Amino acid sequence: MITFAFAILFLIITPGPGVLSTAGVGSAFGRTAGIRYVTGLFVGNNLVAIAVVSGLATVVLAIPMVRNILFALSALYLLFLAFRIATAGAKIAFIESSREPGIWAGITLQLINPKAYAVNTAIFSGFPFMPDALFLETVLKFTILNAIWIPTHLLWLATGILIQRLELAPHIQFRINLLMAGAMLLVVALAVYAQF
């Protein structure tokens, strides 16, 4: 179970659309909007997990054309995010929006977030620790997942708020943008590699 918890931590804390956008909402709109957005991400992630556990995601993704279309849309979305971040210049650009994203925006992002499906599939199909009690193992996995997921996303939210308050020099902000864009490109590269 400890191996499972560490796997969750490393799978969740790595940059992806959810955590990067969480930091961006915190940076752009503050704590209250950030909490609403994280609530939506939380609901969306658990909906994805339920789809993975119930097999619904497997049924939908078993259709090659649907799987390829969803993969292409997800990869294009991630590339778009990486481009927006990399070309933001000397202003931290986790996310850019003229209005506060709310709960629905968080839910929607998770439903199209390829990392959410990959992480939940890895979590629920791997790391068996109670093979004779699958239901109890699944309940414990949901509990451990959310016990790690919530503070991790709140930490990313706090990071976004802190970075905005620091008023970093333009060249440092530019380097942070390049680092985040590179992380997004790595996510896309790993997804493409896993596809083939």
Side-chain angles (χ1 to χ4, degrees), residues 55-134:
L56 178 62
T58 302
V59 170
V60 170
L61 296 175
I63 303 167
M65 183 171 22
V66 172
R67 184 180 63 242
N68 291 337
I69 289 170
L70 290 175
F71 176 76
L73 290 174
S74 299
L76 288 172
Y77 178 71
L78 293 175
L79 288 171
F80 170 73
L81 282 178
F83 175 76
R84 292 277 303 269
I85 291 168
T87 59
K91 182 174 188 247
I92 297 283
F94 290 109
I95 191 173
E96 192 174 313
S97 179
S98 58
R99 62 187 175 109
E100 295 179 0
I103 291 173
W104 185 246
I107 293 170
T108 303
L109 177 65
Q110 288 296 70
L111 293 178
I112 66 165
N113 180 356
K115 185 182 175 196
Y117 289 92
V119 167
N120 281 296
T121 299
I123 287 169
F124 288 101
S125 66
F127 307 99
F129 55 85
M130 298 181 78
D132 297 329
L134 187 58

Side-chain angles (χ1 to χ4, degrees), residues 2-78:
I2 292 173
T3 303
F4 173 72
F6 276 115
I8 290 174
L9 178 63
F10 291 120
L11 286 168
I12 291 174
I13 205 162
T14 55
V19 293
L20 290 176
S21 62
T22 295
V25 170
S27 176
F29 302 109
R31 188 174 65 91
T32 303
I35 294 294
R36 280 195 301 268
Y37 183 70
V38 168
T39 300
L41 289 175
F42 173 79
V43 170
N45 190 63
N46 279 284
L47 289 173
V48 169
I50 290 167
V52 166
V53 169
S54 70
L56 178 62
T58 302
V59 170
V60 170
L61 296 175
I63 303 167
M65 183 171 22
V66 172
R67 184 180 63 242
N68 291 337
I69 289 170
L70 290 175
F71 176 76
L73 290 174
S74 299
L76 288 172
Y77 178 71
L78 293 175

